[in-house]
Amino acid sequence: MPKKTALEPSVDWVELTSTDDDWDAIDPDVLVAMATQLHLVRAFEEEVLDLAGQKLINGPAHSSIGQEGGAVGSIFPLVGADHINGSHRGHHQFLAKAFGFVRPDGFDLRDGVPDDIRTVLRRSLAEIAGLAQGYCRGRGGSMHLQWKEAGAMGTNAIVGGAVPFASGFAWANKHAGSDNVSVTYFGDGAVNIGSVLETLNLAAAWKLPVCFFIENNQYAVSTTAEEATGEPRLSGRGPGFGIPSWKVDGMDTVAVYLAMQEALEVMRSGGGPTVIEVDTYRHFHQNGPFPGSAFGYRSKEEETHWKDRDPIRQMDAQLLRRGILTEDETAALRSSAKSTMAEISAELVEPDPDGKPGTQRIRPELWPDTDFIDVGIRGPEDLGSAKVRETADFGPDEVEDRKFVEVVAEVMHRRMSEDESIMVLGEDVHKLNGGSRGATKGLATDFPDRVLGTPISEAAFTGLGGGVALDGRYYPVVELMYADFIWVAADQIFNQIGKARHMFGGDHDMPLLMRIKIGTGTGYGSQHSMDPAGILATSVGWRIIAPSTPLEYVGLLNSAMRLKDPVAVLEHDADLYKTEGPAPVDDLDFCLPVGQAAVRRTGSDVTVISYLSMVRRALEAVETAGVDGEVIDLRWLDMASIDWSTIGESIRKTNRVVIVEQGPIGTSYGGWLSDEIQRRFFDWLDAPVTRVHGSESSPSISKILERAALASTDAIVSALRSV
């Protein structure tokens, strides 16, 4: 018989329950302050549901009624510089963090509602109603609440989508040498999301001070935890990653408060991440004013059982038991909270002159101006005091031929030596003498605490970079080993990083660089060979640079890193990394103009537009075809930065366009570009825009099939002659 030895977790996993002695040990003023917050959050949520019932809230209203104890108990011991983020059901957490920020010592409703608390309630309700005075100027609504100054870094409509960002806040806190922490709130449905599990692992590996706070309200819409997972004790995820974990009654505000205090001791002392699971219950359905029993997935008896354990009922009972408040005084807390919210709501609505008697409408003057719709998608194109010059201005003695990939590493080394806020992260960037291709050579040796080799978990480390960017103290450079991996990290790239600035009001910066290696021509096959330009260009929020020479790389990278936006830099492995080209002898600081293309060859017969390695092939094809083509290297590919002036000037001269790219037709960059050219310059075109691109299929491993799948010089020649 084999010998078997029982294994034990390497960390504590406990269930914490409060006693009357625990309640008795807490200062009466603290309990009253907690009760005040519980009642205000409850009244706020009831007002939201009332407005939603009148169709005055556009979209869902995910009520937190019944779950207030977890939010108030966990946030009360935090400080203003701690960070939180959360999910679509996040009003209670947002309000608790905002209350704590403006009134760090708490407040007592019996003394009236302070003006700064009224402002928090008014702006929060206005945001949920989509109004201009809201914290996100009406763009975020119920599911996207953010007040960055208060450490409320944003709630999120994507289940589990906010979790990786919280690891970024935690990394920034740890690297800055502070003892501040981040808390990321999510529900039982998010526990099984891949990005959440990836982030648990990454946070544990790097000992990041982040608390993974699981609000187990028993249902992911209508699906129970028992249906969704083999281990419904969700805090058990923590020990699997070496994270100390607590399971707590979320209806008991003090139990949650005590568990968070213990978790904070671990995190603030350098012990790394923690997990707290609170068992709680939402009184209503997934969204709206109806109970879950109305939809048949739970019983009225179950709802009654949980309502009997309501956190406000428990808090009021303990205040009475200790003699801190009388029944009349607890009733007064409720009355004051309700009347305050009725007054605030009345400031946002008025009788509807066109409706039935008694109906209301939002006051028209409170809506955002529709001209605001696209403001703040990206930041300004401001390079500050940078030295801006064109590559054509470099004299022969200022450039020398260098291998492309060596210049990639060298200019990043220069930036990191000049700016201690820059950090680099990605798979193997810290080893192999500069990663898989040498693009980070020398960085880990000279900047060991800012060059971070990650687990193979693109969603987690990309999201961590997004959190660092949103925090704002450091500048993240995220490397994706291959462009195809954008799909692995897609939620973080497109829903989170790309949309963050605009979604949360358009005011805060999102400075981040994502280095993306394109693997076409390397023999790595269908899943390592995509060109992501078309996908990125048609997704909101990103800027894109596509350098075709080492000299261009330096100037474009320097410009990109001075902007306050997420920027993708496309780097071609086989066709550029290994090639040699002009590079600066000693000027690694110059910037190229933002949004300016370069004419690589003047001509009068046809405008040839391309980027990256296909610029060289386009130049070769023009000579071979015997056509007087004007070749434009786009350099900047995103919608906000593309140089329509240069393109238009050329088209008005040639009256014909050929767009050249390497990738397949399905995700083609040229698809949207040709459409936009024909919209803008139709009157100057003597022929339809011609496109040269790859096949529908992805490149195969076979060398012959790979070449056949990609656009070739011969294909460009053929297009030039036919047009």
Side-chain angles (χ1 to χ4, degrees):
M1 292 287 290
K3 179 182 178 181
K4 298 181 181 179
T5 303
L7 300 177
E8 297 292 333
S10 61
V11 294
D12 290 337
W13 178 27
V14 299
E15 183 167 4
L16 185 151
T17 306
S18 76
T19 66
D20 283 349
D21 288 342
D22 294 318
W23 284 81
D24 292 344
I26 296 178
D27 187 295
D29 290 341
V30 171
L31 291 179
V32 171
M34 286 181 175
T36 290
Q37 292 194 19
L38 290 171
H39 279 287
L40 271 180
V41 173
R42 175 67 58 88
F44 180 93
E45 291 290 65
E46 289 171 339
E47 194 63 39
V48 168
L49 289 181
D50 183 56
L51 293 176
Q54 299 178 60
K55 307 298 182 185
L56 298 179
I57 302 294
N58 188 39
H62 298 97
S63 166
S64 65
I65 292 176
Q67 299 182 205
E68 301 94 340
V72 172
S74 63
I75 292 174
F76 204 88
L78 301 183
V79 299
D82 293 326
H83 302 89
I84 71 164
N85 69 3
S87 69
H88 54 282
R89 193 182 314 283
H91 304 167
H92 51 329
Q93 295 139 9
F94 179 84
L95 289 172
K97 189 66 168 75
F99 292 159
F101 179 70
V102 300
R103 292 280 163 160
D105 296 326
F107 60 101
D108 185 342
L109 267 178
R110 294 175 298 173
D111 300 328
V113 181
D115 288 343
D116 49 8
I117 295 296
R118 284 182 177 272
T119 298
V120 167
L121 294 167
R122 183 185 306 108
R123 293 191 67 191
S124 300
L125 189 62
E127 183 57 46
I128 291 169
L131 307 182
Q133 63 181 284
Y135 281 102
C136 304
R137 303 187 183 186
R139 284 178 175 165
S142 174
M143 296 187 288
H144 311 110
L145 295 166
Q146 184 195 70
W147 187 15
K148 187 178 172 183
E149 292 76 11
M153 306 298 280
T155 57
N156 207 286
I158 302 298
V159 174
V163 174
F165 268 42
S167 68
F169 311 148
W171 183 90
N173 286 328
K174 181 177 180 178
H175 192 75
S178 79
D179 68 350
N180 294 119
V181 307
S182 66
V183 184
T184 183
Y185 292 88
F186 53 96
D188 46 290
V191 169
N192 305 311
I193 293 283
S195 60
V196 174
L197 298 172
E198 286 185 23
T199 307
L200 282 162
N201 178 68
L202 183 59
W206 291 0
K207 286 195 172 296
L208 301 178
V210 53
C211 177
F212 297 90
F213 195 97
I214 306 168
E215 280 193 311
N216 184 356
N217 66 13
Q218 315 306 311
Y219 294 94
V221 186
S222 65
T223 302
T224 65
E226 288 77 11
E227 292 175 288
T229 178
E231 175 50 277
R233 297 174 301 172
L234 304 180
S235 50
R237 302 297 193 274
F241 293 102
I243 302 175
S245 301
W246 289 257
K247 182 175 174 63
V248 189
D249 178 6
M251 312 301 272
D252 181 342
T253 306
V254 163
V256 178
Y257 176 68
L258 296 174
M260 180 55 81
Q261 285 183 317
E262 293 185 6
L264 287 171
E265 288 180 14
V266 172
M267 294 185 289
R268 296 203 198 279
S269 63
T274 58
V275 169
I276 297 177
E277 175 195 2
V278 298
D279 282 316
T280 186
Y281 201 77
R282 51 174 163 82
H283 287 190
F284 296 95
H285 179 52
Q286 169 74 354
N287 72 82
F290 301 103
S293 57
F295 298 86
Y297 61 85
R298 65 190 196 192
S299 67
K300 292 182 179 179
E301 291 75 19
E302 177 186 307
E303 291 172 342
T304 299
H305 165 74
W306 281 94
K307 287 181 180 180
D308 287 343
R309 302 183 59 252
D310 182 87
I312 293 180
R313 181 177 294 187
Q314 291 195 50
M315 176 63 75
D316 288 352
Q318 290 287 352
L319 292 171
L320 291 171
R321 182 188 66 81
R322 287 191 58 186
I324 298 172
L325 296 182
T326 65
E327 287 190 10
D328 287 345
E329 286 174 319
T330 59
L333 292 181
R334 169 73 171 163
S335 176
S336 177
K338 290 288 289 183
S339 62
T340 297
M341 285 312 306
E343 293 166 5
I344 289 171
S345 181
E347 297 173 13
L348 306 183
V349 299
E350 65 181 14
D352 186 351
D354 300 320
K356 296 178 181 179
T359 59
Q360 299 186 101
R361 69 176 185 180
I362 297 292
R363 295 178 184 271
E365 68 272 16
L366 300 182
W367 291 112
D369 190 325
T370 54
D371 290 340
F372 182 59
I373 182 128
D374 286 335
V375 174
I377 293 175
R378 299 170 186 83
E381 297 178 356
D382 182 10
L383 298 181
S385 59
K387 176 174 58 178
V388 180
R389 62 187 301 197
E390 264 295 350
T391 53
D393 298 335
F394 278 74
D397 58 339
E398 293 183 280
V399 296
E400 61 183 357
D401 282 346
R402 296 279 305 282
K403 187 175 288 187
F404 196 109
V405 72
E406 292 176 355
V407 176
V408 171
E410 188 173 332
V411 69
M412 187 57 68
H413 189 285
R414 174 67 172 176
R415 298 279 63 79
M416 295 185 77
S417 66
E418 294 287 309
D419 185 350
E420 293 185 353
S421 74
I422 298 171
M423 50 93 77
V424 173
L425 69 161
E427 294 157 10
D428 296 311
V429 296
H430 63 319
K431 292 186 177 180
L432 303 177
N433 198 23
S436 61
R437 293 295 186 271
T440 55
K441 185 177 181 180
L443 301 186
T445 300
D446 293 342
F447 315 107
D449 62 333
R450 292 189 282 135
V451 179
L452 310 175
T454 67
I456 301 175
S457 51
E458 282 82 4
F461 70 72
T462 299
L464 185 148
V468 171
L470 177 55
D471 173 84
R473 285 173 287 180
Y474 299 96
Y475 185 97
V477 177
V478 178
E479 178 183 302
L480 288 187
M481 191 177 287
Y482 286 95
D484 308 67
F485 300 169
I486 66 169
W487 301 122
V488 184
D491 175 52
Q492 297 303 309
I493 293 171
F494 301 116
N495 275 323
Q496 309 303 334
I497 296 170
K499 294 178 181 178
R501 177 195 281 268
H502 182 268
M503 181 171 70
F504 290 125
D507 293 323
H508 69 73
D509 298 332
M510 278 297 292
L512 176 147
L513 187 78
M514 176 170 283
R515 295 183 43 248
I516 303 177
K517 184 173 67 182
I518 298 175
T520 50
T522 60
Y524 270 69
S526 296
Q527 296 174 332
H528 286 66
S529 301
M530 78 172 290
D531 176 351
I535 301 298
L536 290 166
T538 51
S539 300
V540 69
W542 283 86
R543 294 186 189 268
I544 313 164
I545 56 174
S548 58
T549 70
L551 190 61
E552 297 281 328
Y553 188 95
V554 173
L556 288 173
L557 185 91
N558 288 336
S559 296
M561 294 183 72
R562 281 182 169 268
L563 301 176
K564 303 302 183 181
D565 299 315
V567 183
V569 52
L570 308 186
E571 303 173 8
H572 204 296
D573 186 349
D575 283 0
L576 287 179
Y577 269 3
K578 300 173 184 178
T579 64
E580 290 192 353
V585 172
D586 54 20
D587 187 359
L588 291 172
D589 299 319
F590 84 96
C591 291
L592 281 167
V594 177
Q596 190 165 311
V599 177
R600 301 298 181 202
R601 182 188 189 280
T602 59
S604 58
D605 289 346
V606 59
T607 298
V608 184
I609 302 173
S610 193
Y611 60 94
L612 283 179
S613 63
M614 297 305 284
V615 173
R616 173 174 52 82
R617 295 189 182 184
L619 289 168
E620 294 171 353
V622 166
E623 301 304 326
T624 301
V627 173
D628 189 21
E630 181 151 292
V631 179
I632 296 176
D633 181 351
L634 288 175
R635 302 198 296 198
W636 297 83
L637 305 185
D638 57 277
M639 292 185 180
S641 310
I642 196 164
D643 186 355
W644 292 116
S645 176
T646 296
I647 292 171
E649 183 179 348
S650 180
I651 290 173
R652 293 183 187 95
K653 177 172 55 174
T654 67
N655 309 117
R656 289 173 172 81
V657 178
V658 173
I659 298 173
V660 176
E661 60 184 318
Q662 191 174 51
I665 187 173
T667 55
S668 166
Y669 177 79
W672 88 267
L673 182 61
S674 63
D675 177 69
E676 191 64 23
I677 285 172
Q678 290 178 126
R679 290 175 189 274
R680 290 172 180 259
F681 307 111
F682 181 81
D683 289 344
W684 285 275
L685 291 172
D686 290 343
V689 174
T690 297
R691 291 168 52 200
V692 179
H693 48 70
S695 66
E696 181 183 358
S697 66
S698 300
S700 303
I701 293 292
S702 166
K703 183 179 291 188
I704 296 299
L705 294 178
E706 181 180 41
R707 289 174 179 170
L710 301 172
S712 65
T713 303
D714 288 344
I716 305 171
V717 170
S718 177
L720 289 171
R721 287 173 173 167
S722 65
V723 78

